[in-house]
């Protein structure tokens, strides 16, 4: 990671590379200015100053920069520091979402009043700052005089607040009152995302999770600047969203879960609550109903959706590829019209996801005809179609989004769909199962998860470039990245957290941070700095030996 550091009175800028951190994640090591030395070439100890000049032209003084994930476009440590005290005010426009989020967070842990006021000094959040930065961009500066977040949108300011949060002591994350001091060191940050789509997907079909569990998952992800939440609402083992015109979907199809565990579903009102909760964090919900395969729960709820007119038995196993909607029956399209209409009405975001993966029980020509019809229905209700990469076999529009998931690279078998999608001018979301799937085991011994795509330790989760993965799919063909968590083996919030942390932040950084900043040594040290934050929030994360010593 290249960081400009103000080295003090001479005001000379030097290029430094974050090298290694044990513990607090605050150490940088110098490198020859502009020489592009690889991060991690030398490891340094926690808290230790790093000697300048060892690498030749290096002139930097040891300067500490904080362990922010995803790493900002530029971050410059400066002199001074700002202490949040009982008299600090948050200055922002009324109802500014970034300001209320920050106030809520800090009031709990500091115990201070932190009133939001219209003018003055303190923590200033200016969402109409005229920065001219790309979408979601922000500038954050901290000096002895105060903290200033400037952005051109509420969204940008909110992303800036997430960065500020990581500059505070970890105890700021606690939900009960802690002792100060609450000092933020001087820093100047400019930041904006590499990709516009940075998603987290949660499968509530294999196992059901409650509204508050889903919200906690969203909130944790939003801390790493994730801006899409893809909610997998229908699969063989369960249908999880109330559809008023087809009530048995939820009532019957919602009863089951993997292993005979308790099912459940969201009423439309509950779903709307999740959507609102996400919106307050500038996160867009993408609901998914998987079709034409992965539909046993629907086929169990309504006999008429089956070609033979016979209801399927509820399914609680973990096989895939055995079910299919009856693509030759008109009722199937009336059914989907109803489902899509109701979902579109409660989903403010631009995408409805109709799945489309692993439709092994649907003949390919039927699949293509089916998906083309479904795409038209989705468009009729004003949304774009999102789906797994298989949907690229159908005729799609430029706003429709195939999601690459096959664990393949280069020109390997299985890369054709993504490549042909790119050729047609579609922009992909990249979620390669052998890097981005949070349900893959960390090691052979991981109690939870699967290993069909790969064993994915943290370094592997971080070790890929969405624009280099597949031959013929470059930077401009990529809309962003996503980290899906499939829940065949996960039943509790702790299970989800253990599998998602620390890997979800790895995918989030790949989606947000500049390509040139990619460095395992740097990432690892900044990731280590998240540990105490997760501990403060009781996140049950995996203490990867690659990250935490
Ligand atoms: C494949 S990848 C699936 C899911 C499973 C997952 C388990 C994809 C689009 N489908 O149905 O839950 O593997 O890792």
């Amino acid at each position: 990671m290249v960081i400009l550091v103000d080295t003090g009175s001479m005001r000379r800028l030097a290029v430094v590379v974050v090298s290694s951190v044990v513990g607090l994640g605050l150490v940088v090591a110098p490198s020859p200015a502009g020489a592009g030395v690889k991060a991690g070439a030398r490891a340094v100890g926690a808290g230790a100053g790093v000697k300048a000049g060892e690498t030749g032209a290096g002139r930097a003084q040891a300067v500490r920069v904080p362990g922010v994930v995803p790493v900002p476009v530029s971050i410059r440590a400066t002199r001074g520091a700002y202490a949040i005290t009982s008299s600090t005010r948050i200055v922002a426009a009324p109802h500014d979402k970034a300001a209320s989020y920050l106030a809520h967070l800090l009031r709990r842990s500091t115990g201070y009043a932190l009133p939001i006021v219209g003018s003055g000094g303190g923590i200033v959040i200016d969402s109409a700052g005229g920065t001219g930065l790309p979408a979601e961009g922000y500038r954050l500066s901290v000096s002895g005089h105060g903290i200033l977040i400037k952005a051109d949108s509420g969204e940008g300011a909110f992303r800036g607040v997430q960065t500020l949060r990581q500059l505070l002591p970890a105890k700021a994350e606690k939900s009960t009152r802690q002792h100060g001091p609450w000092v933020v060191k001087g820093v100047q940050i400019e930041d904006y995302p590499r990709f516009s789509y940075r998603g987290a997907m949660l499968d509530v079909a294999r196992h059901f999770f409650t509204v508050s569990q889903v919200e906690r998952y969203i909130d944790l992800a939003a801390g790493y600047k994730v801006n899409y939440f893809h909610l997998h609402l229908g699969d063989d083992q369960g249908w999880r969203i109330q559809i008023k015109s087809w009530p048995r979907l939820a009532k019957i199809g919602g009863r089951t879960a993997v292993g005979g565990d308790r099912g459940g579903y969201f009423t439309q009102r509950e779903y709307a609550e999740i959507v609102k909760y996400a919106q307050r964090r500038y996160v867009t919900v993408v609901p998914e109903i998987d079709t034409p395969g992965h539909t046993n729960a629907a086929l169990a709820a309504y006999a008429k959706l089956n070609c033979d007119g016979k209801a399927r038995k509820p399914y609680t196993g973990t096989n895939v590829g055995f079910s299919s909607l009856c693509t030759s029956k008109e009722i199937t399209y009336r059914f989907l019209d109803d489902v899509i209409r109701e979902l579109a009405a409660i989903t403010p975001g631009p995408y409805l996801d109709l799945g489309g993966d692993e439709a092994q029980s649907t003949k390919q020509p039927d699949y293509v005809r089916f998906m083309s019809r479904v795409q038209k229905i989705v468009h009729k209700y004003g949304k774009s179609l999102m789906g797994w990469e298989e949907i690229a076999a159908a005729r799609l529009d430029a706003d429709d989004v195939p999601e690459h998931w096959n664990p393949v690279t280069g020109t390997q078998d299985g890369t054709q769909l993504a490549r042909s999608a790119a050729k047609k001018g579609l922009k992909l979301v990249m979620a390669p199962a052998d890097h981005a799937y949070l349900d893959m085991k960390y090691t052979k011994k991981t109690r939870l998860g699967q290993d069909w795509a790969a064993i994915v330790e943290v370094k592997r989760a971080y070790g890929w470039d969405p624009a280099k993965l597949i031959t013929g799919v470059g930077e401009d063909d990529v809309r962003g990245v996503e980290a899906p968590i499939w829940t065949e083996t996960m039943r509790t919030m702790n299970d989800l957290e253990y599998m998602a942390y620390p890997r979800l932040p790895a995918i989030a950084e790949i989606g947000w941070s500049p390509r040139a900043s990619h460095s395992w040594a740097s990432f690892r040290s900044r990731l280590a700095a998240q540990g105490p934050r997760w501990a403060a929030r009781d996140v049950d994360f995996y203490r990867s030996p690659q990250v935490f010593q």
Side-chain angles (χ1 to χ4, degrees), residues 472-495:
V473 177
E475 188 86 9
D476 293 342
D477 307 314
V478 175
R479 196 177 291 269
V481 300
E482 187 160 277
I485 190 159
W486 302 99
T487 57
E488 287 93 334
T489 63
M490 284 159 243
R491 310 163 69 191
T492 66
M493 192 70 211
N494 276 0
D495 290 350

Side-chain angles (χ1 to χ4, degrees), residues 204-219:
V204 294
R206 272 53 177 271
H207 277 102
F208 183 63
F209 294 87
T210 63
V211 171
S212 62
Q213 289 174 323
V214 168
E215 289 178 347
R216 179 167 161 94
Y217 199 80
I218 292 171
D219 189 50

Side-chain angles (χ1 to χ4, degrees), residues 206 294 357-358 388 405 437 439-440 450 452 486 488:
R206 272 53 177 271
H294 290 276
D357 59 314
E358 302 172 320
W388 302 102
W405 63 270
Y437 272 25
D439 62 317
M440 291 300 120
Q450 311 199 41
W452 66 264
W486 302 99
E488 287 93 334

Side-chain angles (χ1 to χ4, degrees), residues 90-96 98-100 115-119 123-127:
I90 298 177
V91 183
H95 313 298
D96 184 278
S100 3
I116 300 178
V117 299
S119 60
I123 304 175
V124 180
I125 299 181
D126 180 359
S127 301

Side-chain angles (χ1 to χ4, degrees), residues 120-448:
I123 304 175
V124 180
I125 299 181
D126 180 359
S127 301
T131 66
L133 292 170
E136 295 183 77
Y138 66 91
R139 289 204 182 92
L140 166 58
S141 60
V142 178
S143 72
H145 306 297
I147 297 175
L148 174 61
I149 295 175
K150 252 182 188 276
D152 298 353
S153 65
E155 201 176 1
F158 184 84
R159 306 296 175 233
V161 160
Q162 297 309 319
T163 301
L164 171 58
R165 197 175 172 182
Q166 293 186 31
L167 305 178
L168 285 154
K171 64 191 173 190
E173 297 293 334
K174 290 258 192 192
S175 58
T176 54
R177 191 174 174 165
Q178 309 294 311
H179 291 292
W182 305 98
V183 177
V184 187
K185 290 193 179 147
V187 75
Q188 295 237 3
I189 292 173
E190 183 171 288
D191 203 12
Y192 48 84
R194 174 179 175 189
F195 294 116
S196 64
Y197 187 112
R198 303 165 314 275
M201 190 218 81
L202 172 62
D203 170 11
V204 294
R206 272 53 177 271
H207 277 102
F208 183 63
F209 294 87
T210 63
V211 171
S212 62
Q213 289 174 323
V214 168
E215 289 178 347
R216 179 167 161 94
Y217 199 80
I218 292 171
D219 189 50
L220 285 166
Y224 296 97
K225 302 186 173 68
V226 163
N227 64 341
Y228 282 90
F229 179 62
H230 170 176
L231 190 54
H232 186 78
L233 286 164
D235 213 302
D236 291 319
Q237 299 87 348
W239 182 284
R240 306 296 182 208
I241 178 78
Q242 173 192 31
I243 300 295
K244 291 176 181 168
S245 53
W246 294 72
R248 289 165 62 87
L249 289 171
K251 285 219 176 92
I252 308 291
R255 274 185 197 157
T256 39
V258 164
D261 288 330
R262 196 159 45 92
Y265 66 89
F266 303 123
T267 63
Q268 293 197 2
R269 193 184 282 248
E270 287 170 328
Y271 174 85
E273 214 178 283
I274 292 171
V275 167
K276 240 211 231 137
Y277 181 94
Q279 275 179 328
R280 287 200 289 273
R281 288 151 182 78
Y282 294 93
V283 172
T284 301
V285 173
V286 180
E288 177 188 354
I289 297 294
D290 209 340
T291 65
H294 290 276
T295 41
N296 193 80
L299 298 170
Y302 285 99
K304 59 186 169 190
L305 294 177
N306 295 278
C307 284
D308 63 8
K310 289 185 190 139
R312 294 295 175 262
K313 287 206 182 76
Y315 183 70
T316 59
T318 58
N319 290 338
V320 297
F322 61 87
S323 57
S324 180
L325 291 171
C326 187
T327 59
S328 60
K329 268 183 161 178
E330 275 312 299
I331 185 83
T332 297
Y333 301 95
R334 287 206 293 279
F335 161 73
L336 286 171
D337 194 290
D338 288 335
V339 170
I340 291 166
R341 173 172 43 76
E342 290 196 31
L343 270 181
I346 52 177
T347 302
Y351 303 121
L352 294 189
D353 192 312
L354 272 292
D357 59 314
E358 302 172 320
Q360 289 141 23
S361 303
T362 320
K363 292 202 186 85
Q364 185 63 9
D366 294 343
Y367 177 91
V368 171
R369 270 195 300 272
F370 170 88
M371 212 33 97
S372 303
R373 262 185 97 166
V374 164
Q375 187 250 23
K376 291 206 184 78
I377 303 174
V378 169
H379 284 222
K380 180 173 90 178
Y381 290 110
K383 302 295 179 185
S384 295
L385 175 70
M386 187 157 169
W388 302 102
E389 61 196 319
E390 286 94 325
I391 66 165
R395 200 178 307 122
L396 302 179
D397 289 8
D399 289 340
D400 297 326
V401 185
E403 178 164 359
H404 166 69
W405 63 270
N406 279 290
V408 287
T409 183
T411 56
Q412 279 175 347
D413 264 8
T415 58
Q416 295 89 337
L417 276 165
R419 189 169 22 257
S420 77
K423 247 196 208 131
K424 288 185 221 159
L426 300 169
K427 278 161 113 34
L428 292 135
V429 167
M430 306 297 280
D434 55 334
H435 296 284
Y437 272 25
L438 303 177
D439 62 317
M440 291 300 120
K441 289 176 182 289
Y442 290 102
T443 72
K444 277 189 192 140
K445 289 190 176 152
T446 307
R447 176 177 65 86
L448 302 163

